[in-house]
Amino acid sequence: MSKLQYSTSMSLDGFVAGPDQSPDNPLGVGGHLLHEWMRALAAWRRDAGLEGGEINASTAVYEAEDNVGAIIMGRNMFGGGSGPWGDEPWMGWWGDDPPFHMPVFVLTHHPRDPLEFPGGTSFTFVSDGIDVALGLARHAANGGDVAVSGGASSAKQYLAAGLVDEIKIHLVPVFLGEGVRLFEDQALSAITLEQVRAIEAPGVTHLTYRIVR
Amino acid sequence: MSKLQYSTSMSLDGFVAGPDQSPDNPLGVGGHLLHEWMRALAAWRRDAGLEGGEINASTAVYEAEDNVGAIIMGRNMFGGGSGPWGDEPWMGWWGDDPPFHMPVFVLTHHPRDPLEFPGGTSFTFVSDGIDVALGLARHAANGGDVAVSGGASSAKQYLAAGLVDEIKIHLVPVFLGEGVRLFEDQALSAITLEQVRAIEAPGVTHLTYRIVR
């Protein structure tokens, strides 16, 4: 059964991005620290077209994401500011070869034609709400899992709607002090979690939780 | 070298107690869920004078606290409300045999004579600030570690003053939704953490971080 999973790196004080996010600094001040564990991996570097890197306990965690067949992200993560897309619309943070290599569905209030990149990444802009985006993503995943990617607001909407099956937190030993806090919704207390596994790795602990229904 | 450690159970959404704390419910609504992993242990039950219980990966974590020789806690954890102690002062939540069995130093603005219980627990009330309390606790620990116990406000004071050496988070798969949040201070971003270990256990992950100076 295709699962909807939410996977994110989070600071020990609960932030998934630092303060003062901007086009030049999409992760906010200090936010890059959340992803150092991943960027150190040979597997990540290979996917990014780079050489070198480490093989460690995070490698299997990173490669396990291979079962993901489609991604849902929020407008904030795709970027380009808010409001209508305009005449020369923002094409994403990632240049000519976005690192997703699969169908990506972007939640937005503003309709826009799809984008396709040669490397296999496509962006489909969905302005009909989270249920429609999930249906399209499940179809595109073709039996694989669907991942809700950052930002936090998309994850929060899917969590609040009871649609997430699995939460993966890559807990990083850093205090950001401020920024985008992932879990701050009182309604979360209605959710029952089951700890599936915890994996210790250099500079990160990988935590997986199942939502119990 | 005697370390100052802060050890606490915390919900996945960052709370160390639930909302609506009261004398009848000192952990707040849902707060008891944070400690179920410990109360299930044969080792904890033995210390509490009870039979039965489990032996699992948490047992060694629980017993490792044996190196602690003195405890510092806040007035809120000792209880009895705020303000002067009055003529029939609050004697703590724990009855005739508090479970600490070692010297406990209670941070308070209101002086009071020490309390001693037959089981080896003593409470010394310190109204001269956190440095004095730490000095007294180190002396009483006699080479053992000192633990800052709840509530969050004591831990925050020691963290902010750069006095904590080690943070142990027992991360519990529960969302409390609201309550006492442990890490919400912007000044935390000045602290550098090093992940020491992560231990997976039934219904909890035990995380240990060292403060890098």
Side-chain angles (χ1 to χ4, degrees), chain A residues 141-152:
Chain A
N142 195 21
D145 289 346
V146 175
V148 181
S149 194

Side-chain angles (χ1 to χ4, degrees), chain B residues 141-181:
Chain B
N142 195 21
D145 288 347
V146 175
V148 182
S149 194
S153 81
S154 314
K156 287 173 184 174
Q157 289 179 61
Y158 281 102
L159 276 170
L163 293 169
V164 174
D165 299 294
E166 203 169 76
I167 302 175
K168 297 184 181 188
I169 303 291
H170 311 291
L171 191 66
V172 176
V174 66
F175 288 130
L176 291 184
E178 55 183 330
V180 179
R181 190 181 285 288

Side-chain angles (χ1 to χ4, degrees), chain A residues 97-120:
Chain A
D97 186 18
F100 307 106
H101 311 299
M102 66 179 72
V104 179
F105 296 84
V106 181
L107 298 165
T108 170
H109 295 294
H110 303 280
R112 174 175 174 181
D113 289 337
L115 293 176
E116 290 214 27
F117 288 85

Side-chain angles (χ1 to χ4, degrees), chain A residues 36-187:
Chain A
E36 283 188 345
W37 68 269
M38 193 166 63
R39 300 174 67 96
L41 298 177
W44 183 88
R45 295 178 61 84
R46 181 199 61 216
D47 288 352
L50 301 168
E51 294 184 355
E54 301 172 19
I55 296 174
N56 62 37
S58 290
T59 301
V61 173
Y62 176 77
E63 293 186 334
E65 313 261 316
D66 284 355
N67 194 39
V68 172
I71 293 170
I72 298 171
M73 68 174 61
R75 168 82 186 257
N76 193 41
M77 178 162 172
F78 182 76
S82 57
W85 294 100
D87 291 336
E88 289 187 31
W90 175 258
M91 300 292 279
W93 305 103
W94 303 279
D96 292 338
D97 186 18
F100 307 106
H101 311 299
M102 66 179 72
V104 179
F105 296 84
V106 181
L107 298 165
T108 170
H109 295 294
H110 303 280
R112 174 175 174 181
D113 289 337
L115 293 176
E116 290 214 27
F117 288 85
T121 301
S122 64
F123 293 98
T124 303
F125 300 87
V126 182
S127 53
D128 310 313
I130 64 172
D131 290 306
V132 170
L134 179 57
L136 291 169
R138 276 201 209 280
H139 182 74
N142 195 21
D145 289 346
V146 175
V148 181
S149 194
S153 81
S154 314
K156 286 174 183 174
Q157 289 180 60
Y158 281 102
L159 276 169
L163 292 168
V164 174
D165 299 295
E166 204 169 76
I167 302 175
K168 297 184 180 187
I169 303 291
H170 311 292
L171 191 66
V172 175
V174 66
F175 289 131
L176 291 184
E178 54 183 332
V180 179
R181 190 180 284 289
L182 179 58
F183 298 127
E184 59 176 354
D185 185 351
Q186 192 186 333

Side-chain angles (χ1 to χ4, degrees), chain A residues 12 172-175, chain B residues 167 191-195 209-212:
Chain A
L12 183 58
V172 175
V174 66
F175 289 131
Chain B
I167 302 175
I191 293 175
T192 300
L193 296 171
E194 182 180 275
Q195 181 175 298
Y209 302 96
R210 193 171 69 83
I211 310 285
V212 180

Side-chain angles (χ1 to χ4, degrees), chain A residues 10 12-13 167 169 171 173-178 181 183-186 188-189 191 193-198 200-201 203-205 207 209, chain B residues 10 12-13 167 169 171 173-178 181 183-186 188-189 191 193-198 200-201 203-205 207 209:
Chain A
M10 185 174 89
L12 183 58
D13 53 352
I167 302 175
I169 303 291
L171 191 66
V174 66
F175 289 131
L176 291 184
E178 54 183 332
R181 190 180 284 289
F183 298 127
E184 59 176 354
D185 185 351
Q186 192 186 333
L188 288 171
S189 64
I191 294 175
L193 296 172
E194 182 180 276
Q195 181 175 299
V196 176
R197 77 185 71 88
E200 180 183 14
V204 63
T205 299
L207 303 158
Y209 302 97
Chain B
M10 185 174 89
L12 184 58
D13 53 351
I167 302 175
I169 303 291
L171 191 66
V174 66
F175 288 130
L176 291 184
E178 55 183 330
R181 190 181 285 288
F183 297 127
E184 59 176 354
D185 185 351
Q186 192 186 332
L188 288 171
S189 64
I191 293 175
L193 296 171
E194 182 180 275
Q195 181 175 298
V196 175
R197 76 186 72 86
E200 180 182 14
V204 63
T205 299
L207 303 158
Y209 302 96

Side-chain angles (χ1 to χ4, degrees), chain B residues 10-49:
Chain B
M10 185 174 89
S11 68
L12 184 58
D13 53 351
F15 298 104
V16 295
D20 303 326
Q21 288 175 292
S22 70
D24 289 340
N25 198 2
L27 299 172
V29 175
H32 65 283
L33 298 171
L34 300 178
H35 303 279
E36 283 187 346
W37 68 269
M38 193 167 62
R39 300 174 68 96
L41 298 177
W44 183 88
R45 295 179 61 84
R46 180 199 63 217
D47 287 352

